[in-house]
Amino acid sequence: MSAISNFDWIGLLGHFLLLSLMAVGGALSTAPEMHRRLVGHEGWLSDADFNASIALGQAAPGPNMLFVALVGWHVGMNATGGLLQGWASWVAAFMGATLAMLGMLIPSCALTFVASRWGHHNRDKRGVRAFKQGMAPVVVALLASTGWLMSAAHRDEPSVWRLWLMSVLVMFLVWRTRIHLLWLFAAGAIAGVMGWV
Amino acid sequence: MRHLFHPDDSTMLARLLRISYALQVGLGALLAYLLLPIDDTPARIVLGAVFLPLFLQALLTLTSVSLSASGWSGEPLTKTQLLWRIGRLWIAEWKAAFTVFALRQPWSRRAPSIAGPLVSSGGRASAIPVLLVHGYICNHRVWDEVVSALRRRGHAVLAIDLEPVFTSIDNYASQIETAVQTLRSSTGSDKVALIGHSMGGLVIRAWMRACGTQHVHRAITLGSPHQGTQLAALANTPNGQQMRWQSPWLAALAEHETPETRERLHIVFTDADNIVYPQRSQILQGAAVTTFPGLGHLELCLDPAVVTWLCEQLDDPADEAKQHAQHASPAAPQTTMASESLLRPRRPADLFWAFSWIALQGFGGVLAVLQRELVDRKKWLTQTQFVEDWSVSQILPGPNVVNLALMMGDRYFGWRGSVAALSGIVIFPMLLVLALAVFFSGVSDLPAVQGALRGMGAVAAGMIAGQGFRLLTSLSGNVLGAYRAYAVALATFIASALLGLPLVWILAIVGVTACVTAYVLLGQQPHDRRP
């Protein structure tokens, strides 16, 4: 992949600025859109990079939205042609991560800052309640959709059936039990290292 | 074989179910190994082992639902309505049956004992003890929802296991008598309420015929074949034969029943029962009747509406009045009182460090840690304030945790507070996660690391979908109603995952439609429903 021009840096920032305002119910609900644009349309990062970003973002402590920084990191890294380019690619990767985070945070934070007092005082208003309840099923489905897209990314792997099975099993455990998520990541990592999946 | 069926620690039914599922899993693995066109042998076997039990359960449920449709009466249904109803019932009963038969009943090892009330006895000691009697080929685990709901309402609950599985219903009467006496002596209550599901309702009636009604507070039957069911024509066990449509045993039971018995009896049935049909005939002279339209046979034990209704039926009226008085008292004075004892951050840096600490503890999501730190440890918010802030931060776009941090910071120190809290929640975790990324990109060519990432990716995919499923329950109180909410969710999923449409379109079309519908429906709601 060749270097991404200046214009594309602005495009990357713009993409996250737009996504930020659509992130109702959390940053993860924009993951399908991010995947569509950055992986499918622009080809700025691979399915594997994208999945690794979400996996690390979830496994690491902190808000889930950190996967956004990792996505930006991968885009920046790819933009300069990967690790072989030395320090230039590190700079680009950090720039990608920073731009992605800023893009994801600035609009929604500005809106929150302005709207939170208003929303707080009007939480019983019919419009606010309608928005909240109407969006609830959309948010739920976007989470399921993120899971689906991440699993579909495995379609070329030789172990695709096992990966699907493991995802379904984890989905069931998370849904029905209160098992600590870190155990599940540890199990997934071990299964991967041992070559079971 | 006797030791196999009468071990000390588990019921006969649990054993039977375990054997049955072991056979299904084995057969599924074998069939998949022989037939499925997938190259990966272990994956093939696991797939078969997992899906054959699910498939057989689905087949069995579909059969029962289709057979029972012969008993549906009332207004004539069009073909579409009929298929829709069969489809809904099929999915719901399949889920219920899998939960009860595969996930619960085979694994019930403890001998059922009295479960005490979960609320402190202050003022609620008088809640009537409840005996729960399961149905044919079931055990006490069918009552899990009912047991916990009743215990939260202050009832002592005993859910018994009827043994052996196949015998005359009359033989169970003595087990009910023993259970009633146990409940009475351990709670000190003279009377006991009984709830029976399916055959359990007949067991309760048979016991009342044998031992009288002097200790019966009331008896509620859920989906019991009081007139028998046409499905039982297939059953050749003693209790199965007794439950045949219009059987002589049922006629004799009804004939010997006193008006006192019927007065205490409350019959609950569903017009769509897939096991007990003709559905609308299952009533008795002199007994009260309540209908839950559209539910399946097992759903009667699991459905939140039924569980809530049961709790209300068994609530002591005096007790309820007390509760109402508590609820009616305005929340405002409570909040003021609580906020006096609340602490507050002294300077923005406090917020920064508090949110840093919270973020670094939050593996796989921060909500639980947030609540523990801000409410329990720092005492910056009351529980109520926290829930309110959280719900506002959810309706605004952007990461919820970030929104909450912004709002809290703003409340104490204006924009400086917001910046401090936001920096706290982002900076250290971001540095950490980038360090991880650097580390991984340095070693990412190693097959072991690639494998680990692949495994963790699959786990993350399942985890995110699982969190989505978990939130499904939050839709149950949604003003859209279950059907519309699921339709919106399904449309979103198809548009996003399968068609790959841009999110703007999804929000503009599906989201706006849902919000407008919710707005209209909220307008139709009586105002006092959600104060």
Side-chain angles (χ1 to χ4, degrees), chain B residues 408-423:
Chain B
M408 283 208 51
D410 181 34
R411 180 171 312 156
Y412 295 116
F413 305 107
W415 67 270
R416 292 182 310 138
S418 290
V419 170
L422 176 63
S423 318

PDB file of all heavy atoms in Angstrom, chain B residues 408-423:
ATOM      1  N   MET B 408     -20.201  14.906  34.511  1.00  0.00           N
ATOM      2  CA  MET B 408     -19.816  15.054  35.913  1.00  0.00           C
ATOM      3  C   MET B 408     -18.830  16.188  36.090  1.00  0.00           C
ATOM      4  O   MET B 408     -18.941  16.989  37.018  1.00  0.00           O
ATOM      5  CB  MET B 408     -19.206  13.747  36.418  1.00  0.00           C
ATOM      6  CG  MET B 408     -20.256  12.714  36.702  1.00  0.00           C
ATOM      7  SD  MET B 408     -19.718  11.591  37.976  1.00  0.00           S
ATOM      8  CE  MET B 408     -19.206  12.664  39.272  1.00  0.00           C
ATOM      9  N   GLY B 409     -17.854  16.224  35.177  1.00  0.00           N
ATOM     10  CA  GLY B 409     -16.863  17.295  35.261  1.00  0.00           C
ATOM     11  C   GLY B 409     -17.521  18.656  35.164  1.00  0.00           C
ATOM     12  O   GLY B 409     -17.237  19.565  35.946  1.00  0.00           O
ATOM     13  N   ASP B 410     -18.452  18.788  34.225  1.00  0.00           N
ATOM     14  CA  ASP B 410     -19.154  20.043  34.011  1.00  0.00           C
ATOM     15  C   ASP B 410     -19.919  20.460  35.259  1.00  0.00           C
ATOM     16  O   ASP B 410     -19.960  21.634  35.624  1.00  0.00           O
ATOM     17  CB  ASP B 410     -20.109  19.862  32.818  1.00  0.00           C
ATOM     18  CG  ASP B 410     -20.862  21.142  32.520  1.00  0.00           C
ATOM     19  OD1 ASP B 410     -20.278  22.216  32.713  1.00  0.00           O
ATOM     20  OD2 ASP B 410     -22.034  21.054  32.109  1.00  0.00           O
ATOM     21  N   ARG B 411     -20.511  19.485  35.934  1.00  0.00           N
ATOM     22  CA  ARG B 411     -21.323  19.809  37.092  1.00  0.00           C
ATOM     23  C   ARG B 411     -20.511  20.452  38.203  1.00  0.00           C
ATOM     24  O   ARG B 411     -20.955  21.381  38.866  1.00  0.00           O
ATOM     25  CB  ARG B 411     -21.993  18.542  37.612  1.00  0.00           C
ATOM     26  CG  ARG B 411     -22.864  18.793  38.824  1.00  0.00           C
ATOM     27  CD  ARG B 411     -23.670  17.585  39.176  1.00  0.00           C
ATOM     28  NE  ARG B 411     -24.332  17.011  38.011  1.00  0.00           N
ATOM     29  CZ  ARG B 411     -24.710  15.745  37.927  1.00  0.00           C
ATOM     30  NH1 ARG B 411     -24.481  14.923  38.916  1.00  0.00           N
ATOM     31  NH2 ARG B 411     -25.302  15.287  36.860  1.00  0.00           N
ATOM     32  N   TYR B 412     -19.272  19.965  38.406  1.00  0.00           N
ATOM     33  CA  TYR B 412     -18.484  20.470  39.532  1.00  0.00           C
ATOM     34  C   TYR B 412     -17.638  21.682  39.162  1.00  0.00           C
ATOM     35  O   TYR B 412     -17.512  22.627  39.937  1.00  0.00           O
ATOM     36  CB  TYR B 412     -17.577  19.362  40.077  1.00  0.00           C
ATOM     37  CG  TYR B 412     -18.352  18.229  40.681  1.00  0.00           C
ATOM     38  CD1 TYR B 412     -18.309  16.964  40.133  1.00  0.00           C
ATOM     39  CD2 TYR B 412     -19.145  18.436  41.804  1.00  0.00           C
ATOM     40  CE1 TYR B 412     -19.020  15.921  40.690  1.00  0.00           C
ATOM     41  CE2 TYR B 412     -19.866  17.408  42.359  1.00  0.00           C
ATOM     42  CZ  TYR B 412     -19.804  16.151  41.806  1.00  0.00           C
ATOM     43  OH  TYR B 412     -20.508  15.130  42.351  1.00  0.00           O
ATOM     44  N   PHE B 413     -16.983  21.650  37.973  1.00  0.00           N
ATOM     45  CA  PHE B 413     -16.013  22.700  37.669  1.00  0.00           C
ATOM     46  C   PHE B 413     -16.201  23.280  36.280  1.00  0.00           C
ATOM     47  O   PHE B 413     -15.260  23.822  35.716  1.00  0.00           O
ATOM     48  CB  PHE B 413     -14.592  22.146  37.776  1.00  0.00           C
ATOM     49  CG  PHE B 413     -14.297  21.518  39.107  1.00  0.00           C
ATOM     50  CD1 PHE B 413     -14.197  20.142  39.224  1.00  0.00           C
ATOM     51  CD2 PHE B 413     -14.141  22.301  40.238  1.00  0.00           C
ATOM     52  CE1 PHE B 413     -13.930  19.555  40.444  1.00  0.00           C
ATOM     53  CE2 PHE B 413     -13.873  21.708  41.462  1.00  0.00           C
ATOM     54  CZ  PHE B 413     -13.777  20.334  41.570  1.00  0.00           C
ATOM     55  N   GLY B 414     -17.380  23.140  35.675  1.00  0.00           N
ATOM     56  CA  GLY B 414     -17.552  23.686  34.326  1.00  0.00           C
ATOM     57  C   GLY B 414     -16.677  22.964  33.318  1.00  0.00           C
ATOM     58  O   GLY B 414     -16.351  21.795  33.498  1.00  0.00           O
ATOM     59  N   TRP B 415     -16.241  23.697  32.291  1.00  0.00           N
ATOM     60  CA  TRP B 415     -15.499  23.030  31.218  1.00  0.00           C
ATOM     61  C   TRP B 415     -14.167  22.479  31.695  1.00  0.00           C
ATOM     62  O   TRP B 415     -13.680  21.493  31.182  1.00  0.00           O
ATOM     63  CB  TRP B 415     -15.302  23.983  30.021  1.00  0.00           C
ATOM     64  CG  TRP B 415     -14.402  25.151  30.318  1.00  0.00           C
ATOM     65  CD1 TRP B 415     -14.770  26.362  30.807  1.00  0.00           C
ATOM     66  CD2 TRP B 415     -12.988  25.188  30.144  1.00  0.00           C
ATOM     67  NE1 TRP B 415     -13.670  27.165  30.969  1.00  0.00           N
ATOM     68  CE2 TRP B 415     -12.566  26.470  30.560  1.00  0.00           C
ATOM     69  CE3 TRP B 415     -12.027  24.281  29.694  1.00  0.00           C
ATOM     70  CZ2 TRP B 415     -11.223  26.850  30.548  1.00  0.00           C
ATOM     71  CZ3 TRP B 415     -10.684  24.669  29.669  1.00  0.00           C
ATOM     72  CH2 TRP B 415     -10.296  25.942  30.098  1.00  0.00           C
ATOM     73  N   ARG B 416     -13.563  23.117  32.719  1.00  0.00           N
ATOM     74  CA  ARG B 416     -12.279  22.597  33.208  1.00  0.00           C
ATOM     75  C   ARG B 416     -12.456  21.200  33.789  1.00  0.00           C
ATOM     76  O   ARG B 416     -11.632  20.311  33.610  1.00  0.00           O
ATOM     77  CB  ARG B 416     -11.697  23.531  34.270  1.00  0.00           C
ATOM     78  CG  ARG B 416     -11.247  24.881  33.716  1.00  0.00           C
ATOM     79  CD  ARG B 416     -10.644  25.717  34.814  1.00  0.00           C
ATOM     80  NE  ARG B 416     -11.514  25.775  36.003  1.00  0.00           N
ATOM     81  CZ  ARG B 416     -11.084  25.684  37.244  1.00  0.00           C
ATOM     82  NH1 ARG B 416      -9.797  25.556  37.489  1.00  0.00           N
ATOM     83  NH2 ARG B 416     -11.934  25.726  38.245  1.00  0.00           N
ATOM     84  N   GLY B 417     -13.553  21.036  34.482  1.00  0.00           N
ATOM     85  CA  GLY B 417     -13.837  19.718  35.031  1.00  0.00           C
ATOM     86  C   GLY B 417     -14.049  18.687  33.933  1.00  0.00           C
ATOM     87  O   GLY B 417     -13.566  17.560  34.015  1.00  0.00           O
ATOM     88  N   SER B 418     -14.768  19.096  32.884  1.00  0.00           N
ATOM     89  CA  SER B 418     -15.009  18.186  31.774  1.00  0.00           C
ATOM     90  C   SER B 418     -13.710  17.728  31.142  1.00  0.00           C
ATOM     91  O   SER B 418     -13.502  16.546  30.874  1.00  0.00           O
ATOM     92  CB  SER B 418     -15.878  18.864  30.716  1.00  0.00           C
ATOM     93  OG  SER B 418     -17.178  19.020  31.195  1.00  0.00           O
ATOM     94  N   VAL B 419     -12.826  18.700  30.896  1.00  0.00           N
ATOM     95  CA  VAL B 419     -11.551  18.356  30.269  1.00  0.00           C
ATOM     96  C   VAL B 419     -10.759  17.409  31.170  1.00  0.00           C
ATOM     97  O   VAL B 419     -10.186  16.417  30.703  1.00  0.00           O
ATOM     98  CB  VAL B 419     -10.743  19.638  29.958  1.00  0.00           C
ATOM     99  CG1 VAL B 419      -9.325  19.291  29.547  1.00  0.00           C
ATOM    100  CG2 VAL B 419     -11.431  20.443  28.880  1.00  0.00           C
ATOM    101  N   ALA B 420     -10.767  17.688  32.479  1.00  0.00           N
ATOM    102  CA  ALA B 420     -10.009  16.845  33.402  1.00  0.00           C
ATOM    103  C   ALA B 420     -10.545  15.417  33.399  1.00  0.00           C
ATOM    104  O   ALA B 420      -9.787  14.448  33.288  1.00  0.00           O
ATOM    105  CB  ALA B 420     -10.073  17.438  34.808  1.00  0.00           C
ATOM    106  N   ALA B 421     -11.868  15.288  33.491  1.00  0.00           N
ATOM    107  CA  ALA B 421     -12.450  13.950  33.550  1.00  0.00           C
ATOM    108  C   ALA B 421     -12.236  13.201  32.240  1.00  0.00           C
ATOM    109  O   ALA B 421     -11.875  12.022  32.227  1.00  0.00           O
ATOM    110  CB  ALA B 421     -13.944  14.053  33.863  1.00  0.00           C
ATOM    111  N   LEU B 422     -12.416  13.918  31.136  1.00  0.00           N
ATOM    112  CA  LEU B 422     -12.241  13.298  29.826  1.00  0.00           C
ATOM    113  C   LEU B 422     -10.798  12.842  29.629  1.00  0.00           C
ATOM    114  O   LEU B 422     -10.545  11.715  29.191  1.00  0.00           O
ATOM    115  CB  LEU B 422     -12.638  14.301  28.736  1.00  0.00           C
ATOM    116  CG  LEU B 422     -12.438  13.846  27.306  1.00  0.00           C
ATOM    117  CD1 LEU B 422     -13.323  12.655  27.036  1.00  0.00           C
ATOM    118  CD2 LEU B 422     -12.780  14.965  26.338  1.00  0.00           C
ATOM    119  N   SER B 423      -9.843  13.710  30.002  1.00  0.00           N
ATOM    120  CA  SER B 423      -8.446  13.316  29.866  1.00  0.00           C
ATOM    121  C   SER B 423      -8.172  12.078  30.703  1.00  0.00           C
ATOM    122  O   SER B 423      -7.452  11.177  30.272  1.00  0.00           O
ATOM    123  CB  SER B 423      -7.510  14.430  30.325  1.00  0.00           C
ATOM    124  OG  SER B 423      -7.972  15.664  29.868  1.00  0.00           O
TER     125      SER B 423
END
